[in-house]
Every structure is written in structure tokens, then in C-alpha cells.
Amino acid sequence: MTTTTAVTVRVPAKVNLQLAVGPAREDGYHDLVNVFHAVALFDEVTVTGARTRATGGAAGLTAEDASGGGLASHLARVPLDSSNLAWRAADLLARETGAQTPVHLHLRKAIPVAGGMAGGSADAAAALVACNAFWGSGLDRAALLDPAARLGSDVAFPLIGGTAVGTGRGEVLNPARCSARLHWVFALSEGGLSTPEVFAAYDRLRPDAPEPQGDPALMAALAEGDARAVGAALSNDLQPAALALRPVLAETLEAGRAAGALGAFVSGSGPTCAFLAESAEHAEHVAAAVRTAPDCAETVTAHGEVPGATVL
Ligand code: C5P
């Protein structure tokens, strides 16, 4: 019998092509129609055996910057203890499966931290896949969706990747067809926006929010591979709330529009802003323009869609 000594899983960031937000529910969450789209910006999570603890779950976590230096300041915001969602993912899977071998988690991060690109959720999804393989737990991808959804609203999507419509609080997923290769620019801010605070601001701005509805024009544009029509249909109900909390983001969005972006919007709960470009070359042009905006600390470009968490 061979013993697995290390498992590495590569996992993508996401951007929300539509984020329709309903009224606050009694449990504090909001019903969403959340069109997730996986982009080629990847974290890697490596699981190895740890000898420091007698029971299963995570025993340690380390993180490194895999972006070539651009995200070094972001790395300081990654918790290296049991408050990290990837650590909690390993603990949850150990409890569910009875796995006994404690693991060390190492994160190689290229997804911006606290940016609305679900990097922490992606790491948790990758940790589930890596621990499942490391422990030989034998759960298939569908069986991992349930623990993923319990860890957070955005953890299930990176397990499937591609493009998918999330309903409920975003964790009930239906894959969607996207036949275009979409070219994205992401403008990163120094400092973050708290997701609960953005949702709370949304509740104040829109106390009479209707039930969230999907957008047939967006789904048709994705299926037809019409990037221009996708750009026209991009929407984020949280954008006014994010802009109210961080008004300077409006200048970032305007810089991208002026450079001819097909769409310009706040990604998820922000503060990262996303821009759809016509081509890889146009993306570089949009990125250069957006970097002149006062709140933009850094830009990254990435295409979508890409597959979900993959064992390397
Ligand atoms: O599920 P997750 O832990 O990622 O959610 C973070 C926060 O975002 C929640 O505490 C809640 O304030 C807000 N949220 C929400 N409705 C959702 C998803 C998230 O209000 N559907």
C-alpha cells in the first residue's frame, strides 16, 4: 500500500456576473441570485501530515505570496490559525469522516485577500478536496458540497468552477453555459470592506428590496458567447452599498469605463472592482488606465471561465 505524503489542489477566484440581493432573512442572511464565474487566478493548497497533534483536522497553517510580490501586503491579512476558513474546512471534514491523521495546510496565494473574489472561500474548498484525497475519505465532489455550504455561502462554487447560478444564500448551485472566453481586469484596493457591513448598508439603502430575480439577458449572452452583451448585462445590487462605504471606488469604475471596458462594476461586496475587456490586449489597456485611479493599488488580469478545484 502506498502512503500519500502530500496533496496539492489548485483553486480559482470568482467574479459575480450578477448579484441580485433580496431582503434580509430572519437568520440574517439574504436570498440571492448569484451568477458565479471562475477566473484564472489561482491559489494552491497543499496538505501534508503533521505530527504535532494526536487527533484529526488541521494542526498548522502557513501562507506564502504566489503573485510575484504584488500581494505581499495582502498576505498579512491571512489568519494563520483556526480562524482561517481552510483550517475550519479540514477540522469539519475530519469530524465528518473520522479521519485521525492531523494535517498541515500550506497556502500559496495569488487571489487578493478580502477583496470580494472569495479567496478565503476558495482556500476552504481546496482544503476540503485536498484533505479528502489525503485521508482517502472517498467523498465525491457532490458529497463535498454540503460541508462546503456549511462553511460559507461562497465555498461550494469553487468545487465546481466554470459558471453557475447560486440561489438560496448563494450555495445552491446550477451550472450555466458560458461559451465566450471573457477577459477580466481586477482593480485591488489597499484595505478591505467587511462583507457583513456591506450587506447591512444594503439593508439601509434598500429597506424594500424585492425577491432576487435572475436575468435572462445575461444568461442568453453567456450562452451565445457575446461578450459585449455580457458586459451590458453585468449587475451587482451590492454596488451602491460598497460605493456608499468607499465613495472613491466610483473613480476606479469611471477610469475603466473611459478606457472602453465593456462592463465596470464592484466585485461581490468589494472593494475589488472588475472590468470586462474585449481581448487580452484591451485588458492590458484597461488595467493601465485603472491604475491611475486614486484608490487602485494594483491590477491583475485573468480570463474565464476555468474549472473548479483540481488535484495537481
Ligand atoms: O456565508 P458567509 O460567511 O460567507 O457570509 C458572510 C456574511 O455575508 C454573513 O455573515 C452575512 O452578513 C452576509 N451574507 C448575507 N447573505 C448571504 C451571504 C452572505 O447576508 N446570502
Side-chain angles (χ1 to χ4, degrees), residues 19 21 24-25 27-32 34 85 88 121 149-155 168-171 194-197 199-200 203 269:
L19 188 47
V21 182
R25 310 192 310 202
D27 64 2
Y29 283 90
H30 297 71
D31 280 326
L32 307 177
N34 193 348
L85 202 54
R88 283 164 46 202
S121 298
R150 279 188 279 143
L151 287 162
S153 310
D154 286 348
V155 181
R169 62 183 170 83
E171 84 289 12
S194 142
T195 300
E197 282 175 25
F199 273 100
D203 293 336
S269 58

Side-chain angles (χ1 to χ4, degrees), residues 6-56:
V7 176
T8 297
V9 170
R10 193 174 88 141
V11 68
K14 62 87 184 165
V15 60
N16 306 96
L17 307 185
Q18 182 193 5
L19 188 47
V21 182
R25 310 192 310 202
E26 289 205 338
D27 64 2
Y29 283 90
H30 297 71
D31 280 326
L32 307 177
V33 173
N34 193 348
V35 181
F36 294 99
H37 177 77
V39 298
L41 201 57
F42 300 99
D43 281 358
E44 284 178 14
V45 175
T46 298
V47 165
T48 49
R51 281 161 216 254
T52 50
R53 214 171 73 166
T55 53

Side-chain angles (χ1 to χ4, degrees), residues 41 67 71 110 112 117 184-188 272-273 283-284 287 291 298-302:
L41 201 57
S67 72
L71 294 182
M117 300 189 74
W184 298 98
V185 178
F186 300 99
L188 315 182
T272 299
C273 292
E284 295 306 328
R291 275 197 297 276
E298 178 89 27
T299 56
V300 288
T301 56

Side-chain angles (χ1 to χ4, degrees), residues 2-297:
T2 54
T3 311
T4 305
T5 56
V7 176
T8 297
V9 170
R10 193 174 88 141
V11 68
K14 62 87 184 165
V15 60
N16 306 96
L17 307 185
Q18 182 193 5
L19 188 47
V21 182
R25 310 192 310 202
E26 289 205 338
D27 64 2
Y29 283 90
H30 297 71
D31 280 326
L32 307 177
V33 173
N34 193 348
V35 181
F36 294 99
H37 177 77
V39 298
L41 201 57
F42 300 99
D43 281 358
E44 284 178 14
V45 175
T46 298
V47 165
T48 49
R51 281 161 216 254
T52 50
R53 214 171 73 166
T55 53
L61 186 147
T62 47
E64 74 178 287
D65 174 24
S67 72
L71 294 182
S73 65
H74 280 227
L75 212 60
R77 286 188 242 144
V78 178
L80 301 178
D81 58 18
S82 60
S83 66
N84 190 298
L85 202 54
W87 184 307
R88 283 164 46 202
D91 284 355
L92 176 62
L93 197 68
R95 279 200 305 279
E96 299 260 306
T97 62
Q100 294 296 318
T101 314
V103 292
H104 180 88
L105 302 169
H106 182 67
L107 316 182
R108 291 192 76 237
K109 293 207 57 75
I111 304 176
V113 178
M117 300 189 74
S121 298
D123 296 345
L128 286 175
V129 173
C131 288
N132 180 52
F134 183 81
W135 289 323
S137 306
L139 299 180
D140 64 15
R141 222 32 93 89
L144 290 175
L145 290 172
D146 173 66
R150 279 188 279 143
L151 287 162
S153 310
D154 286 348
V155 181
F157 172 68
L159 292 174
I160 66 168
T163 302
V165 182
T167 50
R169 62 183 170 83
E171 84 289 12
V172 182
L173 296 171
N174 272 302
R177 203 159 86 82
C178 170
S179 50
R181 184 179 173 94
L182 299 176
H183 298 276
W184 298 98
V185 178
F186 300 99
L188 315 182
S189 294
E190 212 50 74
L193 273 176
S194 142
T195 300
E197 282 175 25
V198 174
F199 273 100
Y202 175 81
D203 293 336
R204 287 194 298 276
L205 287 172
R206 231 176 147 186
D208 53 351
E211 288 305 317
Q213 303 290 335
D215 178 2
L218 174 65
M219 303 324 287
L222 288 167
E224 285 159 18
D226 183 343
R228 195 162 287 277
V230 171
L234 295 163
S235 68
N236 180 1
D237 281 354
L238 292 181
Q239 181 164 310
L243 289 176
L245 294 173
R246 203 173 175 106
V248 70
L249 291 177
E251 293 180 50
T252 309
L253 295 177
E254 190 42 45
R257 286 190 198 106
L262 303 179
F265 60 108
V266 172
S267 177
S269 58
T272 299
C273 292
F275 305 88
L276 181 60
E278 290 174 26
S279 62
E281 298 75 51
H282 184 225
E284 295 306 328
H285 172 70
V286 171
V290 161
R291 275 197 297 276
T292 65
D295 195 54
C296 178

